[in-house]
Amino acid sequence: MRNFFVNLPLRYVWKSEGYLRFFQHNGLNPELGLDAFILEQEPESWHREVAAGLKKEGLSAAVHLPFIDIHPGSPDSIVRDAARERLLRAAETAMLYEPRHLIAHNGYNPAGYEDFYPRWLEGAVSTWSEVGELVGGCPVYLENTVETEPSQIKDVLEGLEGGFGFCFD
């Protein structure tokens, strides 16, 4: 079983089936990128069809959850609730692909959250815990983005049950 994944935004597959055929023809396992557009644009049946096409070729998928405008630990409860809703919907869709693992951005922004760190951490742990419950045993790797050090991801991981890990970008 191959453990190598290549980024493939599902929006590209939506625009042109040639992307999917390229991955299938070359035996590349995709890291499928979910975003708000593709989640709102395509029904579950479309995702099932794409997943079946990958499985037919013996390919495994990883899924990258949405990250634009997603703030899973936001100290603002309205923003955090919207992020949680989007992530849970994305995780449900991701599971249609029977992914080997999920990747998600931790969402910590040192420029905006440092004065609210305990509140941010509590919100992040709560959000990711719900995602973890929804995906069962599928590993979720939290990826750094704008963090200046790994301590924020470490703190989140320490607050979570098993099934979570770190993806260094």
Side-chain angles (χ1 to χ4, degrees), residues 50-67:
V50 173
L54 293 170
K55 193 171 191 172
K56 179 181 172 191
E57 298 298 324
L59 298 176
S60 296
V63 177
H64 198 302
L65 298 177
F67 57 89

Side-chain angles (χ1 to χ4, degrees), residues 44-143:
E44 182 178 311
S45 59
W46 182 84
H47 291 281
R48 288 187 184 282
E49 185 178 312
V50 173
L54 293 170
K55 193 171 191 172
K56 179 181 172 191
E57 298 298 324
L59 298 176
S60 296
V63 177
H64 198 302
L65 298 177
F67 57 89
I68 295 174
D69 293 333
I70 303 292
H71 306 281
S74 177
D76 181 330
S77 62
I78 294 171
V79 171
R80 187 178 57 252
D81 289 347
R84 178 180 290 126
E85 182 180 331
R86 174 61 75 203
L87 288 168
L88 290 171
R89 166 97 190 285
E92 285 178 356
T93 301
M95 297 314 291
L96 298 174
Y97 292 93
E98 299 178 20
R100 296 271 299 279
H101 63 270
L102 303 176
I103 300 202
H105 289 192
N106 191 40
Y108 179 77
N109 183 347
Y113 299 146
E114 63 188 350
D115 291 337
F116 307 100
Y117 188 72
R119 186 171 176 163
W120 174 86
L121 180 60
E122 179 182 335
V125 168
S126 174
T127 298
W128 293 121
S129 291
E130 286 189 43
V131 170
E133 287 175 24
L134 191 141
V135 302
C138 183
V140 178
Y141 297 109
L142 299 180
E143 181 176 28

